[in-house]
Coordinates of all heavy atoms in Angstrom, one line a residue:
L192 N -115.7 31.1 -10.3 CA -114.4 30.5 -10.2 C -113.4 31.6 -10.1 O -113.3 32.4 -11.0 CB -114.1 29.6 -11.4 CG -112.8 28.8 -11.4 CD1 -112.8 27.8 -10.3 CD2 -112.6 28.1 -12.7
I193 N -112.7 31.7 -9.0 CA -111.7 32.8 -8.8 C -110.4 32.2 -8.3 O -110.3 31.1 -7.7 CB -112.2 33.8 -7.8 CG1 -112.5 33.2 -6.4 CG2 -113.5 34.5 -8.3 CD1 -112.8 34.3 -5.3
G194 N -109.3 33.0 -8.4 CA -108.1 32.6 -7.8 C -107.0 32.4 -8.9 O -107.3 32.0 -10.0
A195 N -105.7 32.5 -8.4 CA -104.6 32.3 -9.3 C -104.1 30.8 -9.2 O -103.1 30.5 -9.7 CB -103.4 33.2 -8.9
S196 N -104.8 30.0 -8.4 CA -104.4 28.6 -8.1 C -104.1 27.8 -9.4 O -103.1 27.1 -9.5 CB -105.4 27.9 -7.3 OG -105.7 28.6 -6.1
G197 N -105.0 27.9 -10.4 CA -104.8 27.1 -11.6 C -103.5 27.5 -12.3 O -102.7 26.6 -12.8
A198 N -103.2 28.8 -12.5 CA -102.0 29.3 -13.1 C -100.7 28.9 -12.3 O -99.7 28.4 -12.8 CB -102.0 30.8 -13.3
I199 N -100.8 29.0 -11.0 CA -99.7 28.7 -10.1 C -99.5 27.2 -10.1 O -98.4 26.7 -10.0 CB -100.0 29.2 -8.7 CG1 -100.0 30.7 -8.7 CG2 -98.9 28.7 -7.7 CD1 -100.4 31.4 -7.5
A200 N -100.6 26.4 -10.2 CA -100.4 24.9 -10.3 C -99.6 24.6 -11.6 O -98.8 23.6 -11.5 CB -101.8 24.3 -10.4
G201 N -99.8 25.3 -12.7 CA -99.0 25.2 -13.8 C -97.5 25.4 -13.5 O -96.6 24.7 -14.0
V202 N -97.2 26.4 -12.7 CA -95.8 26.7 -12.3 C -95.3 25.6 -11.6 O -94.1 25.2 -11.8 CB -95.8 28.0 -11.5 CG1 -94.4 28.2 -10.9 CG2 -96.2 29.2 -12.3
L203 N -96.1 25.0 -10.7 CA -95.6 23.8 -9.9 C -95.3 22.6 -10.8 O -94.3 21.9 -10.6 CB -96.6 23.5 -8.8 CG -97.0 24.6 -7.8 CD1 -97.9 24.0 -6.8 CD2 -95.8 25.2 -7.2
G204 N -96.2 22.4 -11.8 CA -96.0 21.3 -12.7 C -94.7 21.5 -13.5 O -93.9 20.5 -13.7
A205 N -94.4 22.7 -13.9 CA -93.2 23.0 -14.7 C -92.0 22.8 -13.8 O -90.9 22.3 -14.2 CB -93.2 24.4 -15.2
Y206 N -92.1 23.2 -12.5 CA -90.9 23.1 -11.6 C -90.6 21.6 -11.4 O -89.5 21.2 -11.3 CB -91.3 23.8 -10.3 CG -90.1 24.0 -9.4 CD1 -89.6 25.3 -9.3 CD2 -89.5 23.1 -8.6 CE1 -88.5 25.6 -8.5 CE2 -88.4 23.3 -7.8 CZ -87.9 24.6 -7.7 OH -86.8 24.9 -6.9
L207 N -91.7 20.8 -11.3 CA -91.4 19.4 -11.1 C -90.7 18.7 -12.2 O -89.8 17.9 -12.1 CB -92.8 18.6 -10.9 CG -92.7 17.1 -10.7 CD1 -91.9 16.7 -9.5 CD2 -94.1 16.5 -10.6
V208 N -91.0 19.2 -13.5 CA -90.4 18.7 -14.7 C -88.9 19.2 -14.8 O -88.0 18.4 -15.1 CB -91.2 19.1 -15.9 CG1 -90.4 18.8 -17.2 CG2 -92.5 18.3 -15.9
L209 N -88.7 20.5 -14.5 CA -87.4 21.1 -14.7 C -86.4 20.9 -13.6 O -85.2 20.8 -13.8 CB -87.6 22.6 -15.1 CG -88.4 22.9 -16.3 CD1 -88.6 24.4 -16.5 CD2 -87.8 22.3 -17.5
Y210 N -86.9 20.9 -12.3 CA -86.1 20.9 -11.2 C -86.5 19.8 -10.1 O -86.7 20.2 -9.0 CB -86.0 22.3 -10.5 CG -85.6 23.4 -11.5 CD1 -86.6 24.3 -11.9 CD2 -84.3 23.5 -11.9 CE1 -86.2 25.3 -12.8 CE2 -83.9 24.5 -12.8 CZ -84.9 25.4 -13.2 OH -84.5 26.4 -14.1
P211 N -86.7 18.6 -10.5 CA -87.2 17.6 -9.6 C -86.3 17.4 -8.4 O -86.7 16.9 -7.3 CB -87.3 16.3 -10.5 CG -86.3 16.5 -11.6 CD -86.3 18.0 -11.9
K212 N -85.0 17.6 -8.6 CA -84.0 17.3 -7.5 C -83.7 18.5 -6.6 O -82.9 18.4 -5.7 CB -82.7 16.7 -8.1 CG -82.9 15.4 -8.8 CD -81.6 14.8 -9.3 CE -81.9 13.5 -10.0 NZ -80.6 12.9 -10.5
A213 N -84.2 19.7 -7.0 CA -84.0 20.8 -6.1 C -84.5 20.6 -4.7 O -85.5 20.0 -4.5 CB -84.7 22.1 -6.7
R214 N -83.8 21.1 -3.8 CA -84.2 21.0 -2.4 C -85.1 22.1 -2.0 O -84.9 23.3 -2.3 CB -83.0 20.9 -1.4 CG -82.0 19.8 -1.7 CD -82.7 18.5 -1.5 NE -81.7 17.4 -1.4 CZ -81.9 16.2 -1.9 NH1 -83.1 15.9 -2.4 NH2 -81.1 15.2 -1.8
V215 N -86.1 21.7 -1.2 CA -87.1 22.7 -0.8 C -87.3 22.6 0.7 O -87.5 21.5 1.3 CB -88.5 22.5 -1.4 CG1 -89.5 23.5 -1.0 CG2 -88.4 22.5 -2.9
W216 N -87.1 23.7 1.4 CA -87.4 23.8 2.9 C -88.9 23.9 3.1 O -89.5 24.7 2.5 CB -86.7 25.0 3.5 CG -85.2 24.7 3.7 CD1 -84.2 25.2 3.0 CD2 -84.6 24.0 4.8 NE1 -83.0 24.8 3.5 CE2 -83.2 24.0 4.6 CE3 -85.1 23.3 5.9 CZ2 -82.3 23.4 5.5 CZ3 -84.2 22.6 6.8 CH2 -82.9 22.7 6.6
V217 N -89.4 23.0 3.9 CA -90.8 23.0 4.2 C -91.0 22.9 5.7 O -90.1 22.5 6.5 CB -91.5 21.8 3.5 CG1 -91.3 21.8 2.0 CG2 -91.0 20.4 4.1
L218 N -92.2 23.3 6.1 CA -92.6 23.1 7.5 C -93.7 22.0 7.6 O -94.7 22.1 6.9 CB -93.2 24.4 8.1 CG -92.3 25.6 8.2 CD1 -93.0 26.8 8.7 CD2 -91.1 25.3 9.1
V219 N -93.5 21.0 8.4 CA -94.4 19.8 8.5 C -95.1 19.9 9.8 O -94.4 19.9 10.9 CB -93.6 18.5 8.3 CG1 -94.6 17.3 8.4 CG2 -92.8 18.5 7.0
P220 N -96.4 20.1 9.8 CA -97.1 20.2 11.1 C -97.2 18.8 11.8 O -98.1 18.0 11.5 CB -98.5 20.7 10.7 CG -98.7 20.2 9.3 CD -97.3 20.2 8.7
L221 N -96.3 18.6 12.8 CA -96.4 17.4 13.6 C -96.4 17.9 15.1 O -95.3 18.0 15.7 CB -95.2 16.5 13.4 CG -95.2 15.8 12.0 CD1 -93.9 15.1 11.8 CD2 -96.4 14.9 11.8
L222 N -97.5 18.3 15.6 CA -97.7 18.9 16.9 C -97.1 20.3 16.9 O -97.7 21.3 17.2 CB -97.0 18.1 18.0 CG -97.7 16.7 18.3 CD1 -96.9 16.0 19.4 CD2 -99.1 16.8 18.6
V223 N -95.8 20.4 16.4 CA -95.2 21.7 16.1 C -94.8 21.7 14.7 O -94.8 20.6 14.0 CB -93.9 21.9 17.0 CG1 -94.3 22.0 18.5 CG2 -92.9 20.8 16.8
F224 N -94.4 22.8 14.1 CA -94.0 22.9 12.7 C -92.5 22.5 12.6 O -91.6 23.2 13.1 CB -94.1 24.3 12.2 CG -95.6 24.6 11.9 CD1 -96.3 25.4 12.7 CD2 -96.2 24.2 10.7 CE1 -97.7 25.7 12.4 CE2 -97.5 24.4 10.4 CZ -98.2 25.2 11.3
L225 N -92.3 21.3 12.0 CA -90.9 20.7 11.9 C -90.3 21.1 10.6 O -90.9 20.8 9.5 CB -91.0 19.2 12.1 CG -89.7 18.4 12.0 CD1 -88.8 18.8 13.2 CD2 -90.0 16.9 11.9
P226 N -89.2 21.8 10.6 CA -88.5 22.2 9.3 C -87.8 21.0 8.7 O -87.0 20.3 9.4 CB -87.6 23.3 9.7 CG -87.3 23.1 11.2 CD -88.5 22.4 11.8
L227 N -88.0 20.8 7.4 CA -87.3 19.7 6.7 C -86.9 20.2 5.4 O -87.5 21.1 4.8 CB -88.2 18.5 6.6 CG -88.6 17.7 7.8 CD1 -89.6 16.6 7.4 CD2 -87.4 17.1 8.6
R228 N -85.8 19.6 4.9 CA -85.3 20.0 3.5 C -85.6 18.7 2.6 O -84.9 17.7 2.8 CB -83.9 20.4 3.5 CG -83.4 20.9 2.1 CD -82.0 21.5 2.2 NE -81.0 20.5 2.5 CZ -79.7 20.7 2.7 NH1 -79.3 22.0 2.8 NH2 -78.9 19.8 3.0
L229 N -86.5 18.8 1.7 CA -87.0 17.7 0.9 C -86.8 18.0 -0.6 O -86.8 19.1 -1.0 CB -88.4 17.4 1.2 CG -88.9 17.1 2.6 CD1 -90.4 17.0 2.7 CD2 -88.2 15.9 3.2
P230 N -86.6 16.9 -1.4 CA -86.5 17.2 -2.8 C -87.8 17.6 -3.4 O -88.9 17.3 -2.9 CB -86.1 15.8 -3.4 CG -86.6 14.8 -2.3 CD -86.5 15.5 -1.0
A231 N -87.8 18.4 -4.4 CA -89.0 19.0 -5.0 C -89.9 18.0 -5.5 O -91.1 18.1 -5.4 CB -88.6 20.0 -6.2
W232 N -89.4 16.9 -6.1 CA -90.3 15.8 -6.6 C -91.2 15.3 -5.5 O -92.3 14.9 -5.7 CB -89.5 14.7 -7.3 CG -88.7 13.9 -6.4 CD1 -87.3 14.0 -6.1 CD2 -89.1 12.8 -5.6 NE1 -86.9 13.1 -5.3 CE2 -87.9 12.3 -4.9 CE3 -90.3 12.1 -5.3 CZ2 -88.0 11.2 -4.0 CZ3 -90.3 11.0 -4.5 CH2 -89.2 10.6 -3.8
M233 N -90.7 15.2 -4.3 CA -91.5 14.7 -3.1 C -92.5 15.7 -2.7 O -93.7 15.4 -2.5 CB -90.6 14.4 -2.0 CG -91.3 13.8 -0.8 SD -90.2 13.3 0.6 CE -89.2 12.1 -0.2
V234 N -92.1 17.0 -2.6 CA -93.0 18.1 -2.1 C -94.1 18.3 -3.1 O -95.3 18.3 -2.8 CB -92.2 19.4 -1.9 CG1 -93.2 20.5 -1.5 CG2 -91.2 19.2 -0.8
L235 N -93.8 18.5 -4.4 CA -94.8 18.8 -5.4 C -95.6 17.5 -5.8 O -96.7 17.6 -6.2 CB -94.1 19.4 -6.6 CG -93.3 20.7 -6.3 CD1 -92.7 21.2 -7.6 CD2 -94.3 21.7 -5.7
G236 N -94.9 16.4 -5.8 CA -95.7 15.1 -6.1 C -96.7 14.9 -5.1 O -97.8 14.5 -5.4
F237 N -96.4 15.1 -3.8 CA -97.4 14.9 -2.7 C -98.5 16.0 -2.9 O -99.7 15.6 -2.7 CB -96.7 15.1 -1.4 CG -97.6 15.0 -0.2 CD1 -98.2 13.8 0.1 CD2 -97.8 16.1 0.6 CE1 -99.0 13.7 1.2 CE2 -98.6 16.0 1.7 CZ -99.3 14.7 2.0
W238 N -98.2 17.2 -3.2 CA -99.2 18.2 -3.4 C -100.1 17.8 -4.5 O -101.4 17.9 -4.4 CB -98.5 19.6 -3.7 CG -99.5 20.7 -3.9 CD1 -99.9 21.5 -3.0 CD2 -100.1 21.1 -5.1 NE1 -100.8 22.5 -3.5 CE2 -100.9 22.2 -4.8 CE3 -100.0 20.7 -6.5 CZ2 -101.7 22.9 -5.8 CZ3 -100.8 21.3 -7.4 CH2 -101.6 22.4 -7.1
F239 N -99.6 17.4 -5.6 CA -100.4 17.0 -6.8 C -101.3 15.8 -6.4 O -102.5 15.7 -6.8 CB -99.6 16.6 -8.0 CG -100.4 16.2 -9.2 CD1 -101.1 17.1 -9.9 CD2 -100.4 14.8 -9.5 CE1 -101.8 16.6 -11.0 CE2 -101.1 14.4 -10.6 CZ -101.8 15.3 -11.3
A240 N -100.8 14.8 -5.7 CA -101.5 13.7 -5.3 C -102.7 14.1 -4.4 O -103.8 13.6 -4.6 CB -100.7 12.6 -4.6
L241 N -102.5 15.0 -3.5 CA -103.6 15.5 -2.7 C -104.7 16.2 -3.5 O -105.9 16.0 -3.3 CB -103.1 16.5 -1.6 CG -102.4 15.9 -0.4 CD1 -101.9 17.0 0.5 CD2 -103.3 14.9 0.3
Q242 N -104.3 17.0 -4.5 CA -105.2 17.7 -5.3 C -106.1 16.7 -6.1 O -107.3 16.9 -6.3 CB -104.6 18.7 -6.3 CG -103.6 19.7 -5.6 CD -104.2 20.4 -4.5 OE1 -105.3 21.1 -4.6 NE2 -103.6 20.3 -3.3

Side-chain angles (χ1 to χ4, degrees):
L192 181 65
I193 61 172
S196 305
I199 296 172
V202 171
L203 303 186
Y206 198 100
L207 178 61
V208 168
L209 299 178
Y210 306 106
K212 297 182 180 179
R214 298 297 193 215
V215 181
W216 281 102
V217 300
L218 297 177
V219 180
L221 295 173
L222 298 181
V223 295
F224 284 100
L225 180 66
L227 294 176
R228 189 172 66 186
L229 302 175
W232 67 263
M233 182 179 296
V234 176
L235 300 179
F237 178 66
W238 182 88
F239 178 74
L241 282 180
Q242 306 309 303

